[in-house]
Amino acid sequence: MRFFISRASIFYNFLRMKKLFLTAQILLLPLHLLASNQIFEAGSMVRLEETSAGINEAFWLFDSSNHYFGHYPPQAAASQGYSSYFEEGSYTLNILGNNQYSAQLSSNAYATSSYSGGAGSASRTATVTLTSPFSANYSGTLTQLGVTASFSGSLTIFPAQDYAPHVLPTGSVWTSSNSYYYSAADSGRSTNIRVDILSSNTLQYTDLEYGESFTGSYTYTKLGPNLGRISVAVPAASYTAQINLFFESPTKIYDYGTTSDAYGSYTDWGALSVSYPPSYSPPAIFPAPTSLPQDQILQITGTNSDLSLDLAEGTWTDMSGGSGSFTYTYSVQSGGVAGLTLNRTGQNAPASPEHFALRFTDDGVGEVVYSSLD
């Protein structure tokens, strides 16, 4: 779905996509939106509060349209009796209407306690109900490492903003924290590691606990917004790694993957902090406008409705003959992402508020990341 602010109405057709257009007499802001209805899109993150288990500040990180991994800080893992906990797997999401979605998640699960660990599966089925553009409640059931329980709480959605670099800057330093590993024979907390990026394909690998340093090689690939992958080989330490990266910000990364050394192969997960040389500038995030222009007509077209909003007059009409008045709230979440909530009254007006997550980019193109409009 796309929208423009321009002197004339501009129409774009996109097969199987909702379309949003904005026309204006004066070009004030280069707004232009493309819509999908992917509440958990690739590169997005969800902060999870699972009140039934006492978990706060756990994260689901979505690295494709159907794959995610979970990062559970030590306090979240401790609430379930583990030193650490990690899961990665697939998910599906279906729109139920009236601000509700059905979510199914199925994953491999790993847990450690001191120097022992276990592996199994985890599955969740839940109904997710949007309460604002970026907040939702959920409830359902969870089966985790053989234990089934109710599953409920609240979550905050963070649509993707692209912090992943195209290449790793020479002179940057990566330091591991809250990192763990699992194998059937050995599991536990990883030693603290520092990695210095020396060039486009070489690095220095330092074990901070044992004071050992080795030079190795790497390849890095940017996979999409916030997403990357790094492969590392350190022959002198008999060490290899294939690690998936999720950039929460330019300086904080969540990671998971596989590693091997002289003693075996492991599943690894954790977090990294990154510092950069002064000459490096992280990817710029184009800021969302602090408010919507008031002299505009906003047109939304979708599979079940064609809606026109007069922002100046506060009135709406649709193709089915409905009409009435509306109010809306708009606020910036952070950077280029903002939320819009629409409340309509009148003939054929929906009973519930309609929520939109908007993302703006520096070329005047933006996206309606998801909405509750049918």
Side-chain angles (χ1 to χ4, degrees):
M1 162 174 49
R2 294 181 177 260
F3 80 71
F4 289 87
I5 296 180
S6 66
R7 295 181 180 272
S9 296
I10 302 176
F11 182 82
Y12 280 77
N13 283 317
F14 285 87
L15 184 62
R16 299 175 183 168
M17 301 180 71
K18 298 177 182 176
K19 293 163 281 289
L20 179 70
F21 304 87
L22 194 60
T23 60
Q25 293 182 343
I26 300 175
L27 181 60
L28 297 177
L29 293 171
L31 302 183
H32 162 188
L33 297 185
L34 169 78
S36 61
N37 225 11
Q38 187 68 23
I39 187 173
F40 299 154
E41 60 172 347
S44 68
M45 178 179 75
V46 165
R47 184 175 64 214
L48 187 71
E49 295 183 5
E50 188 178 340
T51 55
S52 60
I55 291 178
N56 294 310
E57 295 300 304
F59 299 95
W60 289 343
L61 306 139
F62 299 92
D63 51 7
S64 80
S65 61
N66 60 8
H67 188 271
Y68 82 104
F69 67 101
H71 178 81
Y72 293 80
Q75 64 271 24
S79 70
Q80 300 193 44
Y82 307 127
S83 298
S84 68
Y85 177 80
F86 170 72
E87 62 186 56
E88 63 87 18
S90 61
Y91 75 93
T92 60
L93 194 71
N94 296 300
I95 300 173
L96 300 178
N98 196 31
N99 291 326
Q100 289 190 323
Y101 298 78
S102 173
Q104 294 82 38
L105 299 92
S106 180
S107 63
N108 299 313
Y110 307 87
T112 67
S113 180
S114 187
Y115 291 99
S116 63
S121 62
S123 63
R124 294 177 174 84
T125 300
T127 298
V128 179
T129 303
L130 282 175
T131 57
S132 78
F134 306 113
S135 300
N137 297 322
Y138 63 89
S139 62
T141 57
L142 160 67
T143 300
Q144 180 176 282
L145 298 177
V147 178
T148 299
S150 60
F151 175 62
S152 62
S154 61
L155 54 83
T156 304
I157 305 164
F158 298 90
Q161 301 195 69
D162 194 4
Y163 297 109
H166 288 278
V167 296
L168 301 185
T170 298
S172 58
V173 177
W174 298 33
T175 305
S176 66
S177 62
N178 184 33
S179 296
Y180 297 85
Y181 64 95
Y182 167 81
S183 74
D186 184 23
S187 303
R189 187 182 181 102
S190 301
T191 58
N192 292 328
I193 300 298
R194 169 180 167 140
V195 175
D196 292 74
I197 303 300
L198 304 180
S199 73
S200 61
N201 58 9
T202 60
L203 54 78
Q204 181 172 287
Y205 175 95
T206 302
D207 188 319
L208 298 176
E209 293 187 20
Y210 292 95
E212 298 176 323
S213 292
F214 306 93
T215 299
S217 61
Y218 77 91
T219 58
Y220 166 80
T221 304
K222 178 182 172 71
L223 300 178
N226 292 335
L227 304 172
R229 180 178 296 129
I230 187 170
S231 298
V232 177
V234 185
S238 301
Y239 176 83
T240 63
Q242 292 77 41
I243 303 296
N244 299 285
L245 307 170
F246 186 104
F247 288 78
E248 180 189 358
S249 72
T251 58
K252 186 173 183 179
I253 303 171
Y254 298 111
D255 66 273
Y256 77 95
T258 58
T259 61
S260 64
D261 59 20
Y263 303 99
S265 299
Y266 311 90
T267 297
D268 283 62
W269 64 90
L272 299 163
S273 59
V274 184
S275 62
Y276 298 99
S279 59
Y280 175 70
S281 296
I285 302 297
F286 185 77
T290 56
S291 63
L292 292 178
Q294 295 302 297
D295 58 346
Q296 312 300 323
I297 294 176
L298 181 67
Q299 293 181 314
I300 304 172
T301 64
T303 56
N304 297 326
S305 60
D306 292 299
L307 179 63
S308 179
L309 305 173
D310 188 325
L311 298 179
E313 299 296 328
T315 58
W316 66 271
T317 58
D318 66 19
M319 293 296 291
S320 66
S323 63
S325 60
F326 72 91
T327 61
Y328 73 91
T329 59
Y330 169 91
S331 63
V332 177
Q333 183 188 47
S334 67
V337 171
L340 173 69
T341 294
L342 180 65
N343 292 275
R344 288 193 279 156
T345 59
Q347 184 180 3
N348 298 336
S352 301
E354 297 159 293
H355 303 297
F356 300 82
L358 312 177
R359 178 171 48 230
F360 300 86
T361 53
D362 59 356
D363 59 358
V365 178
E367 298 177 316
V368 178
V369 184
Y370 54 84
S371 77
S372 54
L373 182 67
D374 291 336

